[in-house]
Every structure is written in C-alpha cells, then in structure tokens.
DNA sequence: GATCAATGTGAGATCGATCTCACATCCGGA
DNA sequence: TCCGGATGTGAGATCGATCTCACATTGATC
C-alpha cells in the first residue's frame, strides 16, 4: 500500500555508520569526522532521505503544525487572515491546520478537543463565545501557546490581536449623525460574539453622547449570513417611521442590507443612508459605493503569527494585547438627511 | 513548558493492569475480562486519558490528516470547497491541512515536499500546472491517495472532479453570438493552468462553429488578480475597433473587467456586453447584474472528499473522472448588438 | 613515556500506542 | 482425571529519530 520512505537506519547502513552518527551528520551537532559526515550526506542525498516528522514529533512532543480556528473560512476576512498566517508560518517550516468553528461553540469545543490529541504546537483562535470559554482556558493551561484574534475572551491570559470595534462603530454612527441623521437603524448579529457586543456599544455610545435616545425598535438582530440579514433588513424597514440611515456590523450584514433594501425598492443614499463595518471588495462595485469602517486586515494575520512563533520559540513575557484602530472610508452611501 | 498528557501507561497503572490489557480494553479487541475492562475504562475516564495521535501515527504510518492544496484559499471558489471538504472529513475524524500554492508551481512542489514528510494520509489538489506535474505523479506513486479537483494533469491515474470548462465557455460565447455579437473579446489568464486552456478552447470552438474568424487582437492575457485584469481590460478596450462584448474566464477577471470598463466610462450592457465564467456573490449586486456561467460548486468538495475517503478505506477500483456540467445564468449584462 | 583533553563513534534508551507471542487459568467433554 | 480449546493477561518488540552515555582513538603537553 503505502510505499515506505527511506529511514535513517537505511542511510546509516548505506554510509556504513551507526544511526547515531548518521543523525549527527544530518543535524550537524556533536562530533562527526569530516569524511564520515560527507559519506552520510551523500548517502542521504542518493537515497532521497527525508526525516519522518511524525517520529520527530513523538520524541519532541510537538508536530510542526499550528491550528487555526476561525469563525468561518468562507468569510473573506478570515480567508485573508488564514492566508497571511500561513505565509508567515511557512517561513518557519510550520504548517497550518484550519478548522472552522462555524460560529458554533459546541463545534469549537469538539474541534479543540480533537486537535489537542494531535500534539499541535500552538493555536490561533477567533473564539465564538465571549463567555463560554472554559475549554479555551483549559487548552492554554495545558501549555500550548494560544493567540486570540478578532475577539477576546474573559479570564484568559494570552496574546490577542483585535481591532477597536467600539471606536469604529462609534465613528460610523458619529458620521451619520454629522449628516443630520437621528433615526439610525442597527443591523447586528447575536451578542454572543465579542465583536458584536463592542460594535453595539459603539453605536449606543455615539447616540448617547449626542443626546439621542436609544430606540430598541431601530435595532434588528439576525444571524450573520447574507440571507438572514436580508430578512432582518426587510423587517426593520417595513415598520412605520422607519430609520433614515442604517449601520451594519459586518460585511455579510451589509450585503444582506443591500439586497434587502433593493428588494423593497429603497435606494441608497436617497431613501436610506448606509455605513457598514468591515470593508469588502463588493463595496466599491456597487452604485453608489458603500461607506465603510475598514479594519487593518493585512496586519492582523502576520502579527498573530509573529506572536505565536515567538511563544513557540520560548519567549516568556506578559501577554500582549494589540488593538488596531479602524478607519472610516467615506464613499457614496451616506446623504445628508435634510438634503434628501 | 508543555504539560504532559496522560499516557496509556498511567492509565494501565491506575487500573492495575499492563499496557497491553489497557490498550485492549480501550480499543475493544482481543480478550479482556469484563471487570478488568470496566476498571480500565473508568481509570481512563477519571484521568482524562486521550490517545496520542502522533504515537499512533508512528506505528500506523499515517496521521489522520488530509492535505488540501488549492490555488488560493482567498478565492471564494476554493474557500467554499475547502469548507465542504472539511465538513466531510470531520465526519470521519480526519483533519484538513490547507496549503495554498498561490498558483506557483515551485511553491506547489515545495509544499508537497514538506507535506510528504508529515505522513499525511491523502491529498486533494488543484494542480497549478497542466504539464509540470512530475512531483504529483511521484507523490501518487509513493502510495498516498490523490484526488484532483478543478484541474487535471497529464499522465496521472487518479480520481478527479472537474467541470466542463470547454462546454461552459462555448455556451457563454454562443450566447453572445446569439445576441448578434461578433467582435467578442476574451480576458484570460496564463495558459499554464488547465482550466484556462479549456476555456480558451471553448471560446475558439464557439467562434469557429459559427464561422467567425479568430482575431488574436481580441484576446488579452493577464495574471488572475483583479488588479492585473483591470489593466488588461483597459489595454483591450483602448484599441481602435474594440470588442462589442467580453468573455472573462474567472470571477477575479470579471471583477477586474467591471472596474476597468467603469474607469473608461464604458457602460454595461450599453457599450459592452459581458459574460463571466464562475458565479460570484458580487454578480448580483452590480447594476446590471452579471450574466455568468455557474459551476456546481457545492458538489465538488463533498464529492472529492468522498472519493478520497473511499481510497483511504482501501477501495481499489479504476480512477474515476467526474466532469460536472455548467449552467448559463442569464442576467442583465448582455445586450443585442444591433439594438444598442 | 605517561596523562589528559579533544575528538569520533556506537549501543541502547526513549517518546506512546499497539501487536505478537508466550504463558496462565478455566471449563467441558472424554 | 486428564486434555484441549477458550479465555485472559503481561513481557517485550516495533515504528523512526534523537540523545545520553560509554568507549575508543588521537594528539599535545610535561
């Protein structure tokens, strides 16, 4: 069935030395005679020897693999980060194992459970729940380095790389208010997720600081998929006295809002102004282009990978918590309320 | 550093039996006394024993991991497939290791080289090159099952799951011709990639069968990124006597064309008609919506995973070559040439 | 010429799970 | 009562790489 690879033993035999000497020659440590080393290297080359990483892992206790558990690999945000992490890891001869939690805590638990027995060296996680995180704490306690991205978790001391969700959301809503909107709708996802909570807080803080009363009827909650967001948008805008502007908390929601509003015959920005959290390539293809709060997505993956690699190399310092600022990109989806 | 896990030895000691007996009890094979088995199971439970997959892999020669090498995980097409494969593998307690070739043959070679020493059980590949494939043949010869998706490779006997690229492209161009277009531009990527060749062939075959002469000046080649496609589009439409319609060979190209045409002030479908290969969510957000050739993307991943799992289970039958049909989705980006 | 350090090499243990083989013990049937 | 098969268990080998330790050499130094 599986054709066996060349083992160290065979190389050693071919070079007429012991396994120990062959290992020394190949990994250049300890004393080896020059001529012997040459013979071993030549034999290894000739036979096409490649070290068995599993055997190495059994001794060292660790496979050169890092686990990445994003909310959903199909989300371009995570796909981009996965790609960046992989590039970084590859430089250090590590592989990336991706296992989507699909935003499901139970699945996240199962995944981590199964990855743990794989002797994986470290983890980069986007935890699904801000509170139900005992399994992650446990993972970290077992000694495997963990870096959190996009979302953090209570009671867990480890590196994290997130963005300023509250500030970004606040800036978005501030901008709508600066354009004389007061009835500002919010399309948000389930609060279980950390980013959703922070973005909600930003929305609330902005309104509050401008003396605008919160109106629960302006908030629509849905699952974070385009389809659910379409429905939630239609629900929101079917009410009497509907919002004049809408803030959506992620790019899937924004896409859903776009479709929902179009299906209701509402035009942007004439009938409704729109600002979305998270930039996405579609935002510049629509007419008008969509104003968004952009995350520095290209920095998250590489930094998370860097942190993890440092931990793998044994760096022992206090956990670092990086929070990147966001940036409001003004395009054409917001109109001044009075001028409509 | 890494807190050690509980080993079989410790469980055996706790249950006061030998390692052999403990293994028998836990994996239920051979003879074990009922009471003994119970004691072992109880001890394992109490200590939180989890088998070390690396040690198992060393004996069995295989890790429960499958490698997936797509052209680019950021491409939604591959992200979707990766997700589907993962779901399927997870059912059989296998993990998915993703390593993007980034459409670079050299990188593909290096990746496979490094994955080989990981004792990975099988591979799902989208080969970057249709011809430079010696490394893949070699991989297959070593015994690891390989399933090709999206693209096939010469001289390699293994399962493959692709779509009818030639037919899809032909249908798209047929449709443009049916709408009285004759000067039909083609935006395609480097011919190294299998799908590009087939789609080019479809374009040529359609023209030929309608008695329209091929005109090399209507074909623009670019790398498959939005940015490069923008430039290629502008090059193509800056010529005198430009095309009245454009066929793009993948969704990134289609996006590039959209941006390129917009920047030149050309409107779709009034000035230029457009059909793209591969549906993508953006296609329904533009105005007008884009007519595309859709691939049955939701079927590719699960089928490839199924094939691979069957091979892993030891199924020995002739290689299967599945070629899914495509489907033309008519939206609003094509106008009758005479009616413009 | 003796001694000690530097240099070079191999035998064997180790990582954790599993499998083979040998050895008990028990029971029913002759 | 004795024998043979069924049943239950443990010692030790195995997978492949690496590391420790012990043992040879060699050369330099007094």
């Amino acid at each position: 069935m599986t054709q066996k690879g060349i083992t160290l033993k065979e190389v050693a035999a071919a070079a007429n030395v012991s396994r120990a000497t062959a290992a020394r020659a190949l990994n250049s440590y300890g004393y080896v005679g020059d001529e012997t080393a040459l013979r071993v290297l030549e034999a290894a080359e000739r036979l096409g020897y490649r070290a068995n990483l599993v055997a190495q892992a059994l001794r060292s206790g660790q496979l050169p693999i890092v686990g990445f558990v994003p909310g959903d690999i199909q989300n371009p945000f995570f796909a981009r980060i996965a790609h960046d992490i992989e590039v970084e890891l590859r430089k250090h001869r590590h592989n990336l194992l991706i296992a989507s939690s699909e935003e499901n805590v139970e699945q996240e638990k199962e995944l981590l459970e199964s990855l743990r027995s794989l002797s994986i060296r470290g983890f980069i996680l986007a935890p699904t729940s801000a509170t139900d995180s005992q399994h992650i704490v446990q993972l970290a306690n077992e000694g495997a380095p963990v870096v959190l991205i996009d979302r953090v978790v209570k009671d867990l001391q480890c590196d994290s790389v997130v963005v300023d969700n509250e500030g970004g959301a606040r800036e978005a809503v501030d901008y709508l208010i600066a354009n004389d909107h007061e009835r500002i709708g919010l399309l948000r996802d389930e609060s279980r997720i950390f980013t959703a909570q922070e973005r909600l807080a930003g929305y609330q803080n902005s309104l509050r600081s401008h003396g605008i009363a919160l109106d629960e009827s302006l908030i629509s909650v849905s699952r974070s998929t385009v389809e659910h967001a379409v429905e939630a948008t239609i629900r929101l805008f079917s009410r009497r006295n509907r919002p004049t502007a809408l803030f959506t908390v992620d790019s899937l929601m924004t896409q859903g809002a776009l479709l929902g509003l179009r299906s209701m015959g509402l035009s942007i920005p004439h009938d409704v102004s729109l600002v979305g959290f998270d930039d996405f390539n579609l935002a510049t293809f629509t007419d008008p282009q969509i104003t968004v709060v952009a995350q520095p997505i290209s920095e998250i993956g590489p930094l998370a990978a860097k942190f993890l690699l440092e931990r793998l190399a044994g760096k022992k310092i206090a956990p670092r918590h990086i929070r990147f600022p966001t940036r409001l990109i003004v395009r054409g989806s917001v109109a001044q309320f009075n001028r409509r």
Side-chain angles (χ1 to χ4, degrees), chain A:
Chain A
M1 163 104 170
T2 303
Q3 207 157 324
K4 289 195 172 192
I6 305 296
T7 71
L8 183 65
K9 200 165 146 189
E10 301 172 76
V11 173
N16 213 22
V17 296
S18 70
R19 282 149 42 243
T21 300
R24 274 188 285 255
L26 289 167
N27 302 319
S28 35
Y29 70 93
Y31 292 111
V32 200
D34 290 354
E35 196 233 338
T36 316
L38 214 65
R39 228 171 46 237
V40 172
L41 261 36
E42 188 273 330
E45 172 73 21
R46 182 160 42 82
L47 298 176
Y49 171 73
R50 221 170 323 110
N52 182 326
L53 294 182
V54 171
Q56 289 182 331
L58 179 58
R59 282 214 102 230
S60 69
Q62 297 176 327
L63 274 171
I65 295 181
V66 166
F68 178 43
V69 183
D72 174 13
I73 191 60
Q74 286 187 79
N75 184 327
F77 176 77
F78 287 122
R80 169 65 188 273
I81 290 177
H83 173 264
D84 291 345
I85 293 174
E86 200 204 320
V87 168
E88 211 60 33
L89 290 179
R90 192 83 41 211
K91 291 181 194 160
H92 294 80
R93 318 197 135 276
H94 277 64
N95 297 289
L96 186 63
L97 198 153
I98 300 176
S100 279
S101 67
E102 294 178 340
E103 301 297 3
N104 178 327
V105 197
E106 289 312 316
Q107 180 155 341
E108 181 179 299
K109 287 181 189 171
E110 280 175 34
L111 287 178
L112 292 180
E113 183 69 19
S114 97
L115 293 187
R116 265 152 77 187
S117 35
L118 256 182
S119 308
I120 276 184
R121 292 202 66 187
F123 294 87
I124 297 179
L125 305 179
T128 282
S129 166
T131 50
D132 186 352
S133 55
Q134 195 48 45
H135 53 295
I136 300 179
V137 173
Q138 199 176 331
L139 181 71
N141 285 344
E142 282 191 5
V146 173
V147 174
L148 301 182
I149 61 166
D150 192 46
R151 315 157 183 180
V152 296
V153 142
K154 268 178 144 51
D155 311 321
L156 182 53
Q157 287 306 309
C158 68
D159 295 330
S160 66
V161 180
V162 300
V163 305
D164 183 9
N165 293 291
E166 192 276 335
R170 190 152 36 77
E171 190 176 3
V173 179
D174 282 353
Y175 177 69
L176 287 169
I177 294 174
N179 281 279
D180 297 327
H181 290 274
E182 290 203 350
R183 293 190 58 74
I184 299 172
L186 173 69
L187 191 51
R188 72 181 188 83
D189 56 356
E190 301 161 274
S191 63
R192 192 170 36 78
I193 299 178
F194 171 76
T195 49
Q197 294 178 3
E198 292 202 326
R199 291 172 195 174
L200 170 62
Y203 167 85
Q204 294 170 329
N205 291 343
S206 172
L207 293 180
R208 192 175 302 128
S209 71
H210 288 88
I212 300 175
L214 282 177
D215 180 349
E216 281 296 329
S217 77
L218 293 178
I219 300 181
S220 194
V221 179
S222 102
R223 285 185 50 199
S224 180
T225 72
V226 174
E227 291 72 20
H228 286 87
V230 169
E231 289 172 28
T233 303
I234 293 175
R235 273 203 308 280
L236 188 57
F237 283 86
S238 299
R239 302 215 177 98
R240 285 158 293 143
N241 201 8
R242 65 182 178 225
T244 66
L246 178 64
F247 173 55
T248 49
V249 300
D250 71 29
S251 64
L252 295 177
M253 298 287 209
T254 310
Q255 292 178 43
L258 244 30
L259 288 179
L261 292 174
R262 184 166 78 189
S263 78
M264 296 179 77
L266 295 173
S267 90
I268 298 172
H270 182 267
D271 300 318
V272 182
S273 289
L274 178 66
V275 179
F277 204 108
D278 200 7
D279 198 10
F280 56 121
N281 67 355
L282 196 145
T284 59
F285 283 86
T286 53
D287 182 24
Q289 298 181 33
I290 312 298
T291 295
V292 297
V293 175
Q295 311 187 51
I297 186 171
S298 64
E299 311 199 28
I300 298 176
L303 187 62
K306 176 167 167 283
F307 280 178
L308 188 66
L309 285 164
E310 285 175 359
R311 296 291 176 187
L312 292 181
K315 190 162 193 168
K316 287 209 175 53
I317 57 173
R320 291 155 287 186
H321 300 287
I322 304 299
R323 186 178 282 274
F324 285 114
T326 58
R327 191 165 50 91
L328 182 71
I329 301 181
V330 174
R331 297 201 266 244
S333 62
V334 173
Q336 283 214 345
F337 179 52
N338 289 332
R339 293 217 191 130
R340 286 192 312 160

